[in-house]
């Protein structure tokens, strides 16, 4: 169970009051947060925190340059699939909104966009190259083992030349950086 799922379960798993006195007492009290860090945040209050790109314009410009360089030589449809998948894993609503729109504008099918979160179970919808790139995206984004497994890297290396693979790794790293800017500053979807 993910941390986010565990927190949601803890918030909703309060026992129902059994007596009229308990019902009235419990109804009069505000719900207690499951974790002390939640006390400082309103439920689902995800408004923007700070306009980081305006406050650090040199960093923003460097990120744009890195992104442009990273995607050189990669198929545009693959680029968007990678960006969407990393953004799903990182829970970046701003980036998901942007890259789903970009994928649609580039001609990506609704079905492939919808199934991306379960691409391994819907493998027939993605080419072997896309599957290898998505597996590498997950391994680099999550680093659950503390490293990228050899089998995942070798699978990607079998489908991409060395220069393409270097660009793919740079692309995955770049979207993860964008996601971290978006999530940490709570960039709002639809507001660029």
């Amino acid at each position: 169970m993910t941390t986010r799922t565990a927190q949601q379960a803890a918030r909703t798993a309060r026992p129902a009051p059994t007596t009229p006195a308990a019902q009235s007492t419990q109804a009069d009290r505000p719900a207690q947060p499951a974790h002390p860090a939640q006390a400082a945040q309103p439920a689902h209050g995800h408004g923007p925190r700070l306009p980081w790109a305006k406050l650090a314009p040199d960093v923003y410009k460097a990120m744009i340059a890195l992104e442009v360089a990273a995607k050189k030589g990669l198929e545009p449809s693959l680029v968007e699939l990678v960006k969407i998948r990393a953004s799903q894993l990182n829970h970046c609503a701003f980036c998901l909104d942007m890259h789903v729109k970009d994928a649609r504008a580039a001609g990506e099918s609704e079905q492939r966009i919808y199934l991306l979160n379960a691409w391994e179970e819907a493998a027939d919808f993605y080419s072997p190259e896309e599957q290898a790139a998505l597996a590498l995206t997950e391994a680099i984004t999550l680093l659950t083992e503390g490293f990228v497994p050899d089998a995942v890297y070798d699978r990607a290396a079998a489908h991409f030349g060395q220069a393409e693979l270097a660009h793919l790794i740079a692309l995955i790293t770049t979207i993860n950086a964008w996601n971290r800017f978006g999530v940490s500053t709570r960039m709002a979807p639809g507001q660029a």
Side-chain angles (χ1 to χ4, degrees):
M1 182 179 297
T2 65
T3 304
R4 186 174 283 189
T5 306
Q7 289 172 348
Q8 289 170 339
R11 282 191 297 236
T12 58
R14 293 188 187 92
T18 54
T19 65
Q23 289 174 350
S24 130
T25 305
Q26 190 169 12
D28 295 337
R29 287 185 300 211
Q32 296 297 315
H35 189 274
Q38 292 175 338
Q41 300 175 6
H44 304 291
H46 295 289
R49 286 182 169 155
L50 118 124
W52 79 269
K54 290 178 183 174
L55 297 170
D58 292 342
V59 175
Y60 179 75
K61 290 175 191 172
M63 285 295 300
I64 295 290
L66 178 60
E67 181 174 348
V68 168
K71 63 185 181 182
K72 280 187 181 174
L74 297 175
E75 289 293 322
S77 61
L78 177 70
V79 168
E80 292 308 324
L81 291 175
V82 165
K83 289 179 179 182
I84 293 168
R85 186 65 190 126
S87 299
Q88 289 172 333
L89 295 168
N90 288 320
H91 306 281
C92 185
F94 178 85
C95 293
L96 271 170
D97 180 64
M98 175 189 297
H99 297 301
V100 165
K101 288 175 182 174
D102 290 348
R104 285 179 180 140
E108 187 58 72
S109 75
E110 291 295 313
Q111 191 169 30
R112 283 173 33 104
I113 292 171
Y114 296 146
L115 292 173
L116 191 54
N117 201 36
W119 66 269
E120 288 177 296
E121 288 78 28
D124 292 343
F125 290 90
Y126 305 97
S127 72
E129 293 82 9
E130 290 168 337
Q131 292 175 45
L134 293 169
L136 187 62
T137 300
E138 291 181 359
I140 292 173
T141 299
L142 299 174
L143 290 175
T144 55
E145 303 287 322
F147 58 90
V148 174
D150 289 340
V152 172
Y153 183 87
D154 292 344
R155 180 179 179 186
H159 291 284
F160 298 94
Q162 287 186 333
E164 281 180 310
L165 185 56
H167 281 265
L168 179 59
I169 292 169
L171 174 69
I172 296 165
T173 302
T174 304
I175 188 57
N176 273 280
W178 282 121
N179 290 164
R180 280 149 177 78
F181 282 119
V183 170
S184 65
T185 63
R186 292 188 180 156
M187 293 173 70
Q191 298 178 7

